[in-house]
Amino acid sequence: MDSTNILIQIQLSYNQYTKTEKKIADYIIKNSSSVLFMSITELADECGVAEASVHRFCRRNGAKGYQEFKMKLSLCSSGDETHPAESVGNSADNDDSKDLFAKILQNHLDAIRETNALLRPEMVEHTVNLMINARSIQFFGIGDSLLVAEDARNKFMRITPKVRTISDPHMQAMAASMSGPDDMLFFISYSGSTKDNVYVAKIARAAGAKIAVITRFLKSPLTEYADAVLICGSKEGPFEGGSIGAKMSQLHIIDILFQCYYAKTRKESAENIRKTSGAVADKLF
């Protein structure tokens, strides 16, 4: 990755930009710290331009895409290109273990509290109703988000047989193409901008399937296809992909969905828990 200070580069190239590019440049220069935690859709909306214009602006300034652009921006914002600042990494080198443990604990608690505050009861209920009415539920994720998707599958498998997870993006696309109005695809994606997720969601939407998303950003390329959007509360910088705080906030949402689903299908779910628990009872000493 080119180590040139991206803000200086933008300022030096400013007179060569188009009118649209100058809008983007002006916003980034004034709000560089905020941009680090924005989706490409949110930045485009703030600048009054199209997402494609933001992507072209990033490429014009030497980045392969928006995520790499934010990484470059984070490097120059932190003032340290070797050790980019992270949520806890800003602490002084002489912080003792007790202080570090306390900061990590506070970050995780803040992520869950913020997630809880952002959850809208009516959206949770809508999502649970979609799940109950669906013939099948497929949890999808890419990279670290796949781990959350698999955990969701494992949790819901205790109370319903209609859940599954597919790890390979090609197989996800094939499954999406075979889905229909009675099927539901559940995407876990912090950024909502992962190309594989968006591609699969587009196929699923064309097939008529219901789509739910757990993400950080209300507006993103992925949420454009969603019937239900649940917002997680952890702030994750460009160099913090797969942070524990983000996973905890997503798992908090999964657990709430599980409890609400169980409450609405208590008789069936209780019987299924009895069956699934009995099936693995002999696996324990």
Side-chain angles (χ1 to χ4, degrees):
M1 197 186 303
D2 190 349
S3 61
T4 304
N5 186 307
I6 195 71
L7 287 175
I8 294 176
Q9 182 177 317
I10 290 172
Q11 291 166 353
L12 292 175
S13 304
Y14 189 84
N15 66 335
Q16 303 171 38
Y17 292 154
T18 64
K19 184 178 179 180
T20 297
E21 289 171 338
K22 286 180 178 179
K23 283 185 179 180
I24 301 170
D26 289 340
Y27 187 88
I28 291 172
I29 290 170
K30 293 178 182 177
N31 305 278
S32 59
S33 296
S34 300
V35 172
L36 296 177
F37 301 101
M38 297 173 70
S39 69
I40 189 172
T41 306
E42 288 178 327
L43 179 57
D45 286 350
E46 289 294 332
C47 297
V49 302
E51 290 176 25
S53 298
V54 175
H55 185 70
R56 284 193 295 270
F57 179 84
C58 295
R59 292 181 64 86
R60 177 161 185 174
N61 285 279
K64 295 178 182 177
Y66 182 61
Q67 187 64 20
E68 184 174 307
F69 178 85
K70 288 203 296 182
M71 289 180 181
K72 290 189 171 191
L73 188 61
S74 179
L75 287 173
C76 67
S77 297
S78 68
D80 185 346
E81 297 185 3
T82 305
H83 304 287
E86 296 187 359
S87 57
V88 178
N90 293 323
S91 58
D93 291 338
N94 60 356
D95 276 357
D96 60 29
S97 295
K98 187 175 180 181
D99 289 339
L100 182 60
F101 296 168
K103 288 179 181 178
I104 293 172
L105 174 62
Q106 191 59 53
N107 283 343
H108 292 168
L109 291 174
D110 287 345
I112 293 176
R113 288 193 183 103
E114 185 179 352
T115 299
N116 220 51
L118 290 169
L119 282 177
R120 292 160 46 202
E122 65 274 16
M123 183 57 70
V124 171
E125 183 173 6
H126 175 56
T127 304
V128 172
N129 286 337
L130 288 177
M131 297 175 76
I132 291 171
N133 294 327
R135 175 181 60 187
S136 69
I137 304 169
Q138 302 183 67
F139 291 99
F140 289 165
I142 300 295
D144 283 290
S145 294
L146 176 60
L147 301 178
V148 180
E150 290 176 336
D151 195 83
R153 186 261 332 264
N154 295 346
K155 195 167 187 66
F156 274 93
M157 189 177 287
R158 297 173 180 273
I159 59 175
T160 177
K162 61 184 179 183
V163 295
R164 66 169 173 161
T165 300
I166 301 175
S167 59
D168 183 82
H170 290 184
M171 297 299 105
Q172 290 178 1
M174 292 170 64
S177 71
M178 297 290 286
S179 62
D182 294 328
D183 301 307
M184 183 176 184
L185 276 68
F186 213 122
F187 292 87
I188 291 92
S189 173
Y190 180 89
S191 69
S193 301
T194 305
K195 291 181 180 179
D196 284 326
N197 281 333
V198 176
Y199 178 73
V200 174
K202 184 177 181 180
I203 293 173
R205 171 57 69 217
K210 303 296 188 296
I211 297 173
V213 177
I214 293 179
T215 184
R216 170 60 179 169
F217 306 105
L218 188 59
K219 291 186 177 182
S220 70
L222 182 58
T223 58
E224 292 295 315
Y225 299 100
D227 297 289
V229 179
L230 300 165
I231 304 298
C232 61
S234 176
K235 266 194 171 184
E236 187 176 88
F239 287 95
E240 297 179 88
S243 70
I244 297 298
K247 285 191 180 73
M248 291 178 73
S249 63
Q250 292 165 349
L251 289 171
H252 180 67
I253 294 174
I254 293 296
D255 198 31
I256 286 175
L257 293 174
F258 176 86
Q259 298 295 340
C260 292
Y261 188 104
Y262 183 93
K264 283 176 172 285
T265 60
R266 186 174 299 274
K267 184 176 179 181
E268 177 188 356
S269 293
E271 176 62 18
N272 286 336
I273 278 187
R274 185 190 64 78
K275 290 177 182 178
T276 53
S277 298
V280 297
D282 290 342
K283 302 294 182 181
L284 303 173
F285 285 105

